[in-house]
Amino acid sequence: MDIFRKTPMAQKTSHLQRHLGLAELIFLGVGSIVGTGIFTITGVGASQYAGPAITISIIIAAICVTMSALFFAEFSSRLPHSGGVYRYLYTVFGEYPAWIAGWFMMIEFAGAISTAASGWGEYLKAFLKTFGISLPTALSGPFNPAKGTYIDIVPVLLLLCVTALVVLGVQTVLRFNSVLVIFKLAVLIIFIALGLTAINTQNWSDFAPFGFGQIYGGKVGIMAGASLMFFAFLGFESISMAADETKEPQKKIPQGIFFSIGLTTLLYVLVTLVLTGTVHYTKLNTAEVVPFVLRSIGFPLVGNIVSVVVILTLVTVCISMMFALSRVIYNVSCDGLLPEQFQELTPKSKVPKKATIFVGIVTMFFSGVFPLEILALLVNIVTLAYLILLAFGVIKLRKDFGEPKEGEFRTPWVPFLPILSIVVCFALMTQCKLETWFGFIIAFVIGTIIYFAYGYRHSKLIDKTEE
């Protein structure tokens, strides 16, 4: 049994259309990253984990993400094929490690889509309540008969619309996504500008009330906040999923990744400084933290307008992530590790139709039935796990295939930087709660069962290894 059979380093043939440029990639990346994290998680991070020092937590998380982005950049430059970490590890480590990485990516993107949709639903319901409008109890929350809730219908309806939009075609959906991203950035700039007029430095007097925390196993403090805020950067890897549809992917993919991370890091730092500088951190534990702060500093009308814009623009996370996840499933299916039905493309726009519809159905179910907290539990830890595999992968890439050629991106300080990334990612993993680790182990076992029950026997490489 050869579970480490590998795909060749050579570029694979793609049946998708190459028409994306750098601007579309940046909008795709920013659309994926800037969402629930900045509009919701920042408040939770400040109030419960790090206080005003959540800004430091964000910088630590950004450093961790940037190191991983360097590895993505080298892989995407040397192997410019869609599939992300899954495709990269298939080349350097072999099939089973690649499948596990791909499985974790699927969980990450599905969880991120469902979480974003749930967060969008919370914003919409909170906004409607300001006008005295409430949904029936049975349709207003995840499955919990004790509370009388059976399904959260709002995120389900949102994802139904997003699925239909993504099936329409890449150019159509990314144009729409780009418009929404512009609105989202405009809202954040307005928030920062207004917030700067109401900064009270006394709110920063106890800048790190929970301390630095522990490097390993901490529950509160700056490091625990960094583990939480790592969630706010998830989505940058969606850019690498578009390699098959990008012009000059060797150059444009790395550029898109770095521009997206740089822009969002700057926004996150400014937003958190304004949040904690205008309102005391103990009051920021709210699902709609940005509109809450605007109302608190005397801009209620702007706060309501921002709520409307946030409701609209959080859709970009669902769009970008669904785009990326359907490409992951399509690529895994092309290798035989998932059913071949997921390879079906629409005749005109060449969109993986059944893969997209499958993603829509799964995420509709999870966002409608499971609480937001449970949806978010696994996202961070599975992402950190496959980023550790990616760091090991860069070391193996250099060992097996040598240095990058002229014109290809080169990660500096290999193997020191990958080893540092592994240490930092593992440190952030240990900040996760015990139930998160239980979920991680269960997810790993389920992924392994799927591989040996289906993937190994249907792999396109099985004939070659048996010859």
Side-chain angles (χ1 to χ4, degrees):
M1 177 176 284
D2 183 9
I3 63 173
F4 299 105
R5 51 201 177 195
K6 301 176 182 178
T7 55
M9 184 68 174
Q11 167 80 5
K12 291 186 66 177
T13 302
S14 172
H15 299 288
L16 304 178
Q17 297 177 348
R18 293 190 183 275
H19 44 61
L20 301 182
L22 179 58
E24 289 91 347
L25 293 177
I26 294 172
F27 279 118
L28 176 64
V30 173
S32 298
I33 300 170
V34 180
T36 309
I38 197 166
F39 289 115
T40 301
I41 302 299
T42 46
V44 175
S47 62
Q48 298 184 15
Y49 288 82
I54 192 67
T55 302
I56 308 300
S57 299
I58 284 173
I59 293 172
I60 293 173
I63 291 171
C64 178
V65 168
T66 301
M67 285 192 290
S68 297
L70 291 170
F71 313 147
F72 265 100
E74 178 162 335
F75 267 113
S76 63
S77 177
R78 302 182 70 177
L79 187 64
H81 183 72
S82 183
V85 176
Y86 162 77
R87 175 62 53 209
Y88 308 151
L89 297 189
Y90 213 149
T91 301
V92 296
F93 285 136
E95 190 169 271
Y96 176 65
W99 161 258
I100 290 298
W103 174 245
F104 285 163
M105 288 176 68
M106 293 178 210
I107 294 173
E108 176 206 353
F109 286 127
I113 294 167
S114 303
T115 303
S118 295
W120 180 88
E122 293 302 315
Y123 261 85
L124 179 61
K125 286 181 284 187
F127 177 71
L128 292 177
K129 281 183 179 179
T130 62
F131 298 96
I133 301 173
S134 297
L135 295 175
T137 302
L139 303 178
S140 62
F143 185 78
N144 189 342
K147 293 184 177 180
T149 59
Y150 292 89
I151 187 170
D152 195 355
I153 194 65
V154 175
V156 172
L157 294 176
L158 168 68
L159 290 177
L160 179 64
C161 296
V162 169
T163 303
L165 186 63
V166 174
V167 170
L168 285 177
V170 175
Q171 288 182 309
T172 301
V173 72
L174 291 187
R175 284 196 193 102
F176 180 68
N177 182 70
S178 298
V179 172
L180 292 182
V181 169
I182 291 171
F183 277 111
K184 185 174 359 185
L185 295 178
V187 161
L188 291 174
I189 292 170
I190 291 171
F191 169 73
I192 292 167
L194 293 177
L196 288 174
T197 66
I199 293 289
N200 179 0
T201 56
Q202 287 299 313
N203 289 325
W204 293 331
S205 59
D206 189 7
F207 192 74
F210 301 96
F212 184 78
Q214 300 174 354
I215 298 295
Y216 290 96
K219 302 304 177 187
V220 294
I222 292 173
M223 281 301 294
S227 178
L228 178 71
M229 293 313 300
F230 183 81
F231 175 85
F233 284 95
L234 300 185
F236 75 92
E237 62 271 51
S238 64
I239 296 174
S240 66
M241 308 303 165
D244 284 350
E245 295 153 277
T246 301
K247 304 170 185 175
E248 299 182 289
Q250 291 93 337
K251 296 180 180 178
K252 296 296 189 295
I253 297 294
Q255 291 172 354
I257 290 173
F258 291 125
F259 274 116
S260 298
I261 293 176
L263 178 59
T264 52
T265 300
L266 177 61
L267 284 173
Y268 281 20
V269 166
L270 292 174
V271 166
T272 52
L273 285 174
V274 169
L275 286 175
T276 58
T278 53
V279 176
H280 197 266
Y281 74 90
T282 56
K283 301 177 181 179
L284 295 176
N285 188 22
T286 174
E288 49 159 7
V289 66
V290 172
F292 168 76
V293 168
L294 286 169
R295 295 181 189 116
S296 299
I297 61 177
F299 298 100
L301 178 60
V302 179
N304 290 334
I305 294 173
V306 167
S307 287
V308 174
V309 176
V310 169
I311 288 168
L312 292 174
T313 58
L314 278 178
V315 178
T316 63
V317 178
C318 299
I319 291 173
S320 302
M321 291 289 195
M322 189 172 290
F323 171 90
L325 180 52
S326 62
R327 270 62 180 174
V328 175
I329 293 174
Y330 169 79
N331 273 273
V332 175
S333 174
C334 288
D335 293 324
L337 305 187
L338 286 175
E340 63 180 11
Q341 286 82 356
F342 292 130
Q343 299 175 40
E344 183 179 324
L345 303 176
T346 55
K348 184 178 180 180
S349 55
K350 301 298 181 182
V351 171
K353 180 180 178 181
K354 290 188 176 178
T356 303
I357 293 173
F358 175 75
V359 170
I361 293 172
V362 170
T363 54
M364 278 187 267
F365 173 76
F366 282 112
S367 65
V369 175
F370 291 95
L372 189 148
E373 301 92 300
I374 292 179
L375 294 173
L377 274 177
L378 280 178
V379 173
N380 274 14
I381 197 166
V382 297
T383 306
L384 288 164
Y386 81 65
L387 291 181
I388 287 174
L389 291 175
L390 178 69
F392 278 116
V394 169
I395 298 173
K396 188 72 160 54
L397 178 69
R398 292 288 184 89
K399 179 182 177 181
D400 292 350
F401 300 99
E403 295 289 322
K405 298 176 182 177
E406 185 177 351
E408 296 177 339
F409 185 88
R410 184 182 187 278
T411 301
W413 307 320
V414 175
F416 169 76
L417 202 62
I419 292 172
L420 178 61
S421 176
I422 292 166
V423 171
V424 173
C425 286
F426 185 71
L428 294 180
M429 287 178 72
T430 64
Q431 310 291 322
C432 296
K433 297 178 181 179
L434 185 61
E435 54 263 38
T436 307
W437 279 94
F438 284 140
F440 174 73
I441 293 170
I442 291 171
F444 176 79
V445 171
I446 292 174
T448 299
I449 291 172
I450 293 173
Y451 172 73
F452 285 105
Y454 183 89
Y456 180 81
R457 295 185 295 110
H458 293 83
S459 171
K460 294 291 179 66
L461 297 182
I462 194 167
D463 294 334
K464 296 179 182 179
T465 56
E466 289 181 348
E467 288 176 356

